[in-house]
Amino acid sequence: MSLITLWCVWLCLWEVSWGAVKQYKFDVEYMYGEPDCVEQVVIGINGHFPGPTITAEEGDTLHIILTNNLFREGTVLHWHGIRQYGTPWADGTASISQCAIAPGQTFHYRFTVDRAGTYLYHGHYGLQRTAGLYGSLIVNLAKGKKEAFDYDGELNLLLSDWWHKTTLEQEVGLSSIPFKWVNEPQSLLINGRGQYNCSLAANVMKTSLSECKFKGNEECASQTFDVHPNKTYRIRIASATSLASLNLAIGKHKLVVVEADGNYVKPFTVDDIDIYSGETYSVLLRTNQDPKKNYWISIGVRGRKPNTPQGLTILNYKTNSATVLPTSPPPITPQWDDYNRSKTFTYNIFGLKGTQKPPKYYDRRLLLLNTQNLVRGYTKWAINNVSLTLPSIPYLASVMFNVNGSFDTKIPPNTFSEGYDIYNPPLNPNANTGSGVYMFQLNQVVDVILQNANVMKGQNSEIHPWHLHGHDFWVLGYGDGKFQQSDERKFNLKNPPLRNNVVVFPYGWTALRFRADNPGVWAFHCHIQPHLYMGMGVVFAEALSNVKRIPNQALACGLLRNVSIHKKHN
């Protein structure tokens, strides 16, 4: 066979394995909107809120041309759940993987979506996700491949929470002395639509709210979801909430959980699901109820004492008009602090047979304690007494180009005091801010034990959903109280789920294991937006000598403007 023939064969194989290039043009801009019937400024994309749904096939390359039309702040987009193998600069984390895109500038994100699944994208700069910068990202199997389950149709639910207080006001409050909390959201949104001060179900449930009266063309009018009787539908669910943990239910219908964070799970049947910020699921729904009726899709707050009404929309059996309201009340959201119910759902998530198993042993272990602290009078969240502050120059470039003084060179603590009382913590006068990085060698197996404790004031411990960029991890186990070495006996090494989001329950611990096989710098943080803003996160760096050329666009800030020109990166 000639060299030319071999070259042609290689090109054909490359095209088959890597798929097409799909291009999107995103103009990020302020706009007026009425997500819950109250007009206010939101951040939209191409004049729409939420942003457009991105669809692709595994192996496709996405090319998103993002222009920042926000006239007073930078922006980035994080492609949540996409691992970015070979393109760590495209992860979309300001000050970690790239410089923020300045107003008026355009940035080209190019990366491969290497596996099918349900994902989302969102702003990762300040509180821009809270302001509405998010959308769905759906990656389908390559042609010729078959899903692990059968279904007849597909629905897509993007869940979020909504405030009437601007994100600027929220940021000022979180950064002030005295501290001012953001408080609970005014409404819950399904695909960017919700209702404030009225309820779709006012006539069939006990509520002080009046019935919503819509003509049908209102921006906040609920989007109905059409189905045919006796079919099976895959419902893709993603949570872009800023604060709220949610419970989702569909009146009189069972749900079969089949996917979590882009990975197949062992199917199990539930009446409702808990979904934390940053999580994605696929569930199967069989439309086997009375076809002469429509049914409520409801979301309600879990894990916090709710001050926000349920978000509602309608599952419309096409044998009826979409204007026909259900005659029964919406499903009742479980008690907000019924954590045993939440744990029952979470503990039932296992990897589907055939899911890659974790290594039996770890090379390095981190025990990360979440605490609330006062740092120079400011209320902060800290990990092992360090509250994360991000540098002005992205870590990815600073480490590769040896830019001195851009971040703390002292490695953050690997653990916390053995005598620490998680139920009655001290005020922690030693807590401070920092920008240090945990460094890993290529292919090191890393265990992370996330430990939850009491908040600074009052007897209360909160739910924290954590998200790891650039990787999936195995969830080895959960436990109540303080983690002990003997708890390793409880670890599930047989069929743990692969995920990129995980919950830490109040006064509890969660154990993860991952392989540092993706050269780059990666954020690992609580996905509750105000908590991350207050410092609840860490940064992992691994095998940076293996990172290939970084586009100059990603480095166009501060000292890097000159460094990137004079230093060659291959």
Side-chain angles (χ1 to χ4, degrees):
M1 186 178 291
S2 70
L3 286 176
I4 294 176
T5 304
L6 283 171
W7 178 249
C8 291
V9 170
W10 183 87
L11 278 178
C12 291
L13 288 173
W14 189 87
E15 287 180 358
V16 169
S17 61
W18 288 107
V21 176
K22 302 199 71 174
Q23 183 172 293
Y24 291 83
K25 190 176 185 302
F26 278 12
D27 289 336
V28 176
E29 56 199 344
Y30 301 112
M31 53 180 279
Y32 281 105
E34 298 181 8
D36 65 354
C37 308
V38 176
E39 184 180 74
Q40 62 189 112
V41 173
V42 305
I43 297 180
I45 297 176
N46 301 342
H48 296 282
F49 163 80
T53 296
I54 294 174
T55 58
E57 288 184 0
E58 60 179 354
D60 284 351
T61 295
L62 290 180
H63 179 194
I64 290 90
I65 305 168
L66 189 154
T67 299
N68 180 7
N69 290 325
L70 305 174
F71 48 80
R72 67 181 179 87
E73 56 189 314
T75 194
V76 293
L77 277 181
H78 169 54
W79 314 98
H80 186 109
I82 305 301
R83 292 174 290 188
Q84 300 291 352
Y85 285 122
T87 52
W89 52 266
D91 188 49
T93 45
S95 296
I96 297 177
S97 63
Q98 71 172 105
C99 300
I101 306 162
Q105 289 188 344
T106 296
F107 186 84
H108 292 254
Y109 287 101
R110 292 184 182 89
F111 55 90
T112 299
V113 287
D114 63 313
R115 55 163 183 178
T118 305
Y119 308 104
L120 68 155
Y121 63 87
H122 59 77
H124 215 290
Y125 183 84
L127 298 185
Q128 289 182 352
R129 173 159 54 94
T130 306
L133 187 51
Y134 47 76
S136 294
L137 199 172
I138 307 300
V139 182
N140 296 305
L141 284 171
K143 288 181 177 61
K145 287 190 175 182
K146 192 175 185 303
E147 292 280 9
F149 41 85
D150 295 321
Y151 57 97
D152 302 300
E154 192 170 296
L155 308 173
N156 188 33
L157 301 182
L158 179 61
L159 313 179
S160 53
D161 41 14
W162 195 251
W163 278 259
H164 295 164
K165 183 187 291 186
T166 68
T167 51
L168 177 60
E169 291 177 275
Q170 293 184 43
E171 288 175 355
V172 171
L174 295 173
S175 308
S176 296
I177 302 176
F179 175 75
K180 292 187 177 181
W181 179 236
V182 301
N183 294 320
E184 303 305 307
Q186 275 64 65
S187 54
L188 302 176
L189 309 182
I190 300 174
N191 289 1
R193 297 172 178 229
Q195 295 79 43
Y196 176 71
N197 271 350
C198 71
S199 172
L200 296 173
N203 287 349
V204 293
M205 64 182 290
K206 187 178 292 186
T207 177
S208 59
L209 298 174
S210 60
E211 184 183 6
C212 298
K213 300 290 187 182
F214 291 126
K215 297 177 182 177
N217 59 350
E218 293 87 352
E219 187 180 324
C220 58
S222 62
Q223 175 188 355
T224 57
F225 293 88
D226 299 332
V227 294
H228 293 277
N230 298 312
K231 301 290 184 181
T232 298
Y233 288 86
R234 177 185 191 169
I235 306 179
R236 296 181 184 267
I237 310 163
S239 175
T241 57
S242 179
L243 174 65
S245 302
L246 299 175
N247 179 270
L248 180 141
I250 300 178
K252 300 187 182 299
H253 289 77
K254 298 285 187 180
L255 305 173
V256 181
V257 182
V258 291
E259 178 211 349
D261 296 344
N263 293 285
Y264 293 136
V265 298
K266 183 180 178 181
F268 64 102
T269 302
V270 292
D271 294 320
D272 51 74
I273 73 167
D274 282 351
I275 180 166
Y276 303 99
S277 178
E279 290 188 328
T280 64
Y281 288 97
S282 282
V283 299
L284 300 181
L285 174 139
R286 183 69 181 170
T287 52
N288 55 7
Q289 297 302 304
D290 185 348
K292 297 177 183 178
K293 296 181 179 180
N294 289 335
Y295 301 88
W296 295 112
I297 300 175
S298 74
I299 53 174
V301 174
R302 297 276 275 134
R304 304 183 64 84
K305 192 170 184 178
N307 192 28
T308 310
Q310 283 179 310
L312 296 172
T313 190
I314 294 171
L315 185 74
N316 168 228
Y317 275 62
K318 288 291 285 180
T319 42
N320 307 307
S321 166
T323 61
V324 174
L325 294 176
T327 55
S328 301
I332 297 173
T333 301
Q335 177 72 18
W336 70 272
D337 58 354
D338 185 354
Y339 295 119
N340 286 333
R341 183 188 176 105
S342 300
K343 292 174 185 177
T344 297
F345 171 77
T346 301
Y347 296 175
N348 269 326
I349 301 174
F350 298 102
L352 185 66
K353 185 177 180 180
T355 299
Q356 183 184 6
K357 293 184 179 181
K360 289 185 178 180
Y361 306 102
Y362 64 88
D363 300 312
R364 185 173 173 189
R365 172 171 285 175
L366 304 178
L367 281 83
L368 303 182
L369 173 69
N370 309 326
T371 56
Q372 200 178 69
N373 307 84
L374 279 180
V375 180
R376 297 184 294 278
Y378 295 93
T379 302
K380 297 285 187 181
W381 282 99
I383 304 301
N384 292 352
N385 276 346
V386 180
S387 182
L388 180 64
T389 56
L390 296 176
S392 58
I393 298 175
Y395 289 102
L396 182 60
S398 295
V399 176
M400 289 192 67
F401 299 150
N402 297 314
V403 180
N404 294 326
S406 59
F407 65 92
D408 298 341
T409 56
K410 184 180 178 181
I411 296 175
N414 287 336
T415 188
F416 56 93
S417 169
E418 190 174 331
Y420 191 92
D421 185 350
I422 66 169
Y423 298 101
N424 296 288
L427 197 54
N428 263 331
N430 297 323
N432 212 330
T433 56
S435 58
V437 180
Y438 292 98
M439 300 278 193
F440 303 130
Q441 297 173 6
L442 185 63
N443 288 320
Q444 264 193 310
V445 177
V446 182
D447 273 14
V448 178
I449 312 297
L450 290 165
Q451 177 68 64
N452 214 342
N454 205 352
V455 297
M456 193 165 55
K457 295 179 181 178
Q459 294 299 309
N460 180 37
S461 182
E462 298 185 15
I463 277 179
H464 297 291
W466 277 72
H467 171 54
L468 176 59
H469 294 228
H471 303 78
D472 282 343
F473 48 69
W474 292 275
V475 184
L476 300 186
Y478 306 85
D480 297 323
K482 189 175 175 182
F483 178 79
Q484 306 292 333
Q485 200 70 28
S486 59
D487 287 323
E488 283 193 44
R489 294 195 298 266
K490 304 174 186 176
F491 285 1
N492 174 16
L493 299 178
K494 180 183 177 182
N495 59 350
L498 269 172
R499 304 204 60 174
N500 57 65
N501 297 269
V502 74
V503 60
V504 189
F505 289 108
Y507 299 114
W509 56 264
T510 299
L512 323 173
R513 181 169 293 174
F514 73 96
R515 188 181 294 278
D517 59 358
N518 194 3
V521 183
W522 308 104
F524 181 44
H525 61 87
C526 178
H527 211 261
I528 291 175
Q529 187 87 85
H531 289 184
L532 173 59
Y533 189 83
M534 295 163 65
M536 196 174 189
V538 295
V539 177
F540 294 158
E542 55 198 65
L544 288 180
S545 61
N546 292 54
V547 175
K548 303 304 180 185
R549 180 178 177 83
I550 305 173
N552 285 339
Q553 271 194 318
L555 313 179
C557 57
L559 295 172
L560 292 178
R561 291 181 185 274
N562 296 324
V563 172
S564 62
I565 293 172
H566 295 104
K567 292 204 175 185
K568 187 176 181 181
H569 40 291
N570 298 313

